[in-house]
Amino acid sequence: QVQLVESGGGWVKPGGSLRLSCAASGFTFVNYYMSWIRQAPGKGLEWVSYISITSSSSSYIKYADSVKGRFTISRDNAKNSLFLQMNSLRAEDTAVYYCARGRAAGGGLHLDYWGQGTLVTVSS
Amino acid sequence: DIQMTQSPSSLSASVGDRVTITCRASQSIRSYLNWYQQKPGKAPKLLIYTASSLQSGVPSRFSGSGSGTDFTLTISSLQPDDFATYYCQQSYTTPWTFGQGTKVEFK
C-alpha cells in the first residue's frame, strides 16, 4: 500500500535551517508529482511547494511566495525520496509539514495520499 | 492568488442529517477543485477531486458539484465518522490555495 513517511522535523532557532525528508513506498515514485503542505498549530492548510516527475527543469518546480528563495524542494527518484531544504527559518514557519502525492486527472492535480506529518518549531 | 472561501466556518449537525458545505473561488477555476477531510491530529484525506469525482474507497454519501467559481460538498446522511474539518483546494493555478475549513460538529 502507498506509504509516505516524513522525518527531519524538530526545533530550530530563527534564521536556522532544517532538511525534511519523505520516504515513499508502495507505488512507482518516479511517475508522480510530489508536494509539501504545512499546517500551523490550530490553523488551516497551506500549500508550500510541488515538484514534477523530473526536477531537470525549473519550470516544473513551484513555491508559495511565503517560502520562495528560502526553501528548496528536490527528489531522488532512485531512493524514492522527497526533500525540503528550509533555510532562513522564521517563527511563522512553525507548522506540521506534510508530504503528499500528486495525481493527475482530468487536467488537474489532486493530493491523493498524505504522510503523517513532521513538526517544525522555530523559536528562540 | 486565488482566494477560496468556505461557508459556513462551522456547523452543528446530527447523525442522519444532510450536510452541505460551499466553497467559492475568487475567479474561475473551471473544475479544478478538490475536497479533503481532516480529523484532529491526523493528515488530510482526499474525498473528491476535479469537483465531482469520488476518490476510491470514499463512501458514496459524499458527493461534490460545481464549476467555475461555486462548488458544493454534500454528505447525504451524516455518520459518526464524518465529524471532522473539511477543506476545499484549487489546483487550477499555483499557488494552490485552500479554503479556511469547515468544522462539522455534533449537535
Side-chain angles (χ1 to χ4, degrees), chain A residues 35 37 39 43-47 50 62 64-65 98 103 105-112 114-116, chain B residues 1 32 34 36 38 41-46 48-50 55 87 89 91 94-100:
Chain A
S35 185
I37 302 92
Q39 187 169 37
K43 302 297 185 182
L45 300 167
E46 179 188 15
W47 171 76
Y50 80 60
K62 300 291 186 182
D65 285 347
Y98 296 100
R103 180 172 171 265
L109 280 171
H110 53 274
L111 302 169
D112 64 346
W114 297 58
Q116 84 289 349
Chain B
D1 298 1
Y32 299 127
N34 308 311
Y36 303 88
Q38 187 180 32
K42 301 294 187 181
K45 172 187 173 183
L46 176 68
I48 302 286
Y49 61 94
T50 54
Q55 170 68 356
Y87 294 93
Q89 176 244 336
S91 62
T94 55
W96 291 348
T97 45
F98 290 85
Q100 81 279 14

Side-chain angles (χ1 to χ4, degrees), chain A residues 3-10 18-24 29 34-36 72-76 79-86 97-100 115-120:
Chain A
Q3 275 201 311
L4 298 168
V5 180
E6 301 94 337
S7 60
L18 275 178
R19 187 186 194 220
L20 304 184
S21 299
C22 173
F29 183 73
M34 296 297 296
S35 185
W36 289 99
T72 302
I73 191 171
S74 62
R75 63 190 297 162
D76 184 336
K79 295 183 177 179
N80 292 342
S81 294
L82 175 72
F83 305 100
L84 187 68
Q85 178 65 43
M86 305 186 296
Y97 285 73
Y98 296 100
C99 75
Q116 84 289 349
T118 188
L119 176 63
V120 172

Side-chain angles (χ1 to χ4, degrees), chain B residues 18 23 26 40 54 65:
Chain B
R18 182 181 181 88
C23 179
S26 59
L54 189 68
S65 64

